[in-house]
């Protein structure tokens, strides 16, 4: 058996023999193709990891929202307290309360701050909310619930993160609508001689369930920039042209290299 093995061994060609040159060429070209594919896949994976696949919820608290209550009524104060408490949740943006502060003392100043990028958005309790709510509950007045709060947003910074911030803020405010209505209804029942029937008779029944809501004011809407479109097209063309470079490089280096080998 050992003798047969040695005889077969004598028939084997050396690795760098001229007869094996086509095999070596095919093997080397395969390695080169694997290298190119790996490089492309690697950078595409990195792009998805830090681009479209970026997890914005991990950094939701990095997004700061301005909060200001411009109404000094008890109802507005109670609603403000509920909003500040709701935004303490880790799943919603960080809310900074500037009520009573000399900073951001007007709606225009708050919108300007959001437009400049000093904040990702703002939540504003509008002036007159308490008076309007009282007229709804006691006189049955017509009331637009969305006039209570203004959610100031913008979409020109980091589009994906802004969408997550806006959605989280809107969700937090929407979640308070039922709780605030229930709390207000319970407070009315504690009044002397109050009953469910008397409250319904006095109030505007159409808006009794939703006593407040919010309207969105987008100070910097997202717009598609033609220059970015041109840049994308040019980059795509460069990538198509650049894809032929590796093949040209291979043709220029394979013959001199393997002739030496």
């Amino acid at each position: 058996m050992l003798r047969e093995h040695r005889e077969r061994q004598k028939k084997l060609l050396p690795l760098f023999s001229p007869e094996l040159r086509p095999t070596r060429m095919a093997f080397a070209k395969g390695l080169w193709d694997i290298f190119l594919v790996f490089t492309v896949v690697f950078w595409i994976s990195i792009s998805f990891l830090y681009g479209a696949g970026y997890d914005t919820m991990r950094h939701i608290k990095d997004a700061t929202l301005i909060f200001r209550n411009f109404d000094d009524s008890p109802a507005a104060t109670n609603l403000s307290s509920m909003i500040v408490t709701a935004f303490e949740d880790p799943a919603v943006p960080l809310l900074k309360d500037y009520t009573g502060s000399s900073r951001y003392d007007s709606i225009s100043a708050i919108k300007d701050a959001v437009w400049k990028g000093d904040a990702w958005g703002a939540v504003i309790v509008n002036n007159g909310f308490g008076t309007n709510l009282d007229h709804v509950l006691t006189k049955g007045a017509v009331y637009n619930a969305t006039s209570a709060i203004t959610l100031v947003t913008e979409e020109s910074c980091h589009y994906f993160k802004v969408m997550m911030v806006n959605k989280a803020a809107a969700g937090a405010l929407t979640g308070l609508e039922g709780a605030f209505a229930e709390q207000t209804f319970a407070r009315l029942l504690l009044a002397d001689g109050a009953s469910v029937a008397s409250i319904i008779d006095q109030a505007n029944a159409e808006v009794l369930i939703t006593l407040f809501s919010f309207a969105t004011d987008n100070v910097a809407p997202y717009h598609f920039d033609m220059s970015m479109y041109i840049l994308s097209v040019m980059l795509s063309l460069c990538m198509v042209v650049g894809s032929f470079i590796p093949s040209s490089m291979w043709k220029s280096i394979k013959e001199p290299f393997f002739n030496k080998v």
Side-chain angles (χ1 to χ4, degrees):
M1 183 179 296
L2 182 61
R3 185 181 303 169
E4 293 177 358
H5 175 70
R6 289 178 176 175
E7 290 178 357
R8 287 197 303 269
Q9 203 172 29
K10 292 179 181 179
K11 298 179 181 179
L12 295 177
L13 298 173
L15 180 61
F16 297 105
S17 62
E19 291 84 352
L20 294 180
R21 185 174 179 277
T23 305
R24 291 197 303 271
M25 292 283 293
F27 179 74
K29 190 176 187 304
L31 291 178
W32 179 257
D33 293 340
I34 292 174
F35 171 76
L36 293 178
V37 172
F38 174 78
T39 303
V40 172
V41 171
F42 173 77
W43 288 112
I44 290 177
S45 302
I46 291 295
S47 299
F48 273 106
L49 180 62
Y50 293 101
Y54 178 70
D55 186 5
T56 56
M57 285 303 297
R58 293 176 54 200
H59 307 283
I60 193 70
K61 284 297 181 183
D62 293 341
T64 303
L65 298 181
I66 298 172
F67 176 73
R68 182 93 189 201
N69 178 14
F70 287 102
D71 188 77
D72 56 357
S73 65
T77 303
N78 182 33
L79 178 59
S80 298
S81 177
M82 295 178 66
I83 292 174
V84 172
T85 302
F87 275 80
E88 293 176 354
D89 191 294
V92 296
L94 179 64
L95 190 73
K96 289 189 176 182
D97 189 0
Y98 289 94
T99 303
S101 172
S102 59
R103 192 178 183 187
Y104 304 130
D105 56 351
S106 66
I107 295 179
S108 59
I110 294 175
K111 290 182 178 180
D112 187 59
V114 175
W115 186 84
K116 290 180 178 178
D118 296 336
W120 289 79
V123 179
I124 301 172
V125 179
N126 295 313
N127 187 25
F129 164 67
T131 302
N132 294 333
L133 182 62
D134 183 65
H135 290 169
V136 168
L137 297 176
T138 59
K139 301 179 181 180
V142 178
Y143 170 65
N144 183 9
T146 58
S147 65
I149 291 179
T150 301
L151 176 61
V152 183
T153 64
E154 65 91 25
E155 298 175 352
S156 62
C157 192
H158 188 302
Y159 183 76
F160 292 104
K161 189 172 182 180
V162 164
M163 290 297 99
M164 183 62 68
V165 170
N166 295 346
K167 184 178 180 181
L173 293 175
T174 303
L176 294 176
E177 293 178 0
F180 180 75
E182 182 180 356
Q183 191 178 94
T184 303
F185 196 79
R187 179 176 56 81
L188 292 175
L189 287 175
L190 295 176
D192 294 337
S195 64
V196 175
S198 63
I199 293 173
I200 294 176
D201 289 339
Q202 292 180 355
N204 185 344
E206 294 182 0
V207 295
L208 193 58
I209 297 178
T210 305
L211 298 180
F212 89 93
S213 187
F214 62 93
T216 302
D217 187 356
N218 191 347
V219 297
Y222 174 79
H223 65 280
F224 187 81
D225 194 352
M226 181 60 68
S227 62
M228 293 301 297
Y229 174 76
I230 296 174
L231 178 61
S232 301
V233 173
M234 293 301 295
L235 287 176
S236 301
L237 292 176
C238 290
M239 292 178 64
V240 172
V241 174
S243 63
F244 294 98
I245 296 178
S247 300
S248 301
M249 290 174 58
W250 171 255
K251 293 178 180 178
S252 62
I253 67 174
K254 66 177 182 178
E255 292 296 336
F257 176 76
F258 284 106
N259 283 337
K260 294 181 180 179
V261 174

